[in-house]
Amino acid sequence: MAVHGLVNARWTGDTRPWLMRSAAPDALDDAGVTTLRRLGVTVVVDLREPGEAGVGSSAPLGIPVVPVPLYGGPPPRTGRLEDIYEDLLRHRGAALATAVGVVADDEGAALVHCTAGKDRTGLVVALARLLAGADPADVLDDYALSGDQVRPVRLAQAEALAGTLPPGERAEVLRLHLESPPEALRHALAVLDALGGVETYLADHGLAPEQAGSLRRKVGR
């Protein structure tokens, strides 16, 4: 089922969705909101920073928005995906746990998004799904789908940014903005394992045991 106004959108849940992911819903219209409500979405988790365009713009359409700025500063324009994910895990654990907590606390389905729905969204969705008991291979497969969805809408912007950089950095910047390579998330999951695993990691950063239980119960509802 397509959602009018959403890019890179998909959901998790065999019986009915409990978790959705997408790029920013800034173009979401009444028809799109109707579809989200039909799918059971009752909260939007916005992982963007306050200065990013369109933050909170889905609120007037009638779905509550919970902002959880994940980077805590301007989104990176350059750098390796692996390093960015590791930095988030090592330094932004409280924000990650807060985002997963919003998904756990909501009675319906949660829509999680950032700008492209690729990196910040990919990491939060991975944490939520792993805590709920998903197979890591399925999580990696889902993450890898974003590249083909994001590339057509971000290619011109990414090439313009990469074109201003030394040739040696160009490929890495295009990878950062356009790709979702499984090896990048696989590295993040290895870091997560080194930090004690998903349950310990999220608990250490503020996720309550009852929230972890609520998240697991969503899978079988």
Side-chain angles (χ1 to χ4, degrees), residues 45 47 68-70 88-89 91-105 123-124 127-128 131 198-208 211-212 215:
V45 186
L47 303 175
V68 185
L70 210 62
L88 284 169
L89 285 168
H91 302 292
R92 297 293 294 170
L96 289 163
T98 296
V100 173
V102 175
V103 176
D105 290 341
L123 193 53
V124 168
L127 290 171
L131 185 60
V198 63
E199 186 163 6
T200 295
Y201 175 82
L202 289 170
D204 286 348
H205 290 92
L207 191 76
Q211 290 177 303
L215 195 65

Side-chain angles (χ1 to χ4, degrees), residues 69-105:
L70 210 62
Y71 285 128
R77 293 165 62 84
T78 62
R80 293 179 68 245
L81 280 169
E82 287 84 351
D83 295 337
I84 291 166
Y85 294 170
E86 181 167 351
D87 187 70
L88 284 169
L89 285 168
R90 293 191 181 279
H91 302 292
R92 297 293 294 170
L96 289 163
T98 296
V100 173
V102 175
V103 176
D105 290 341

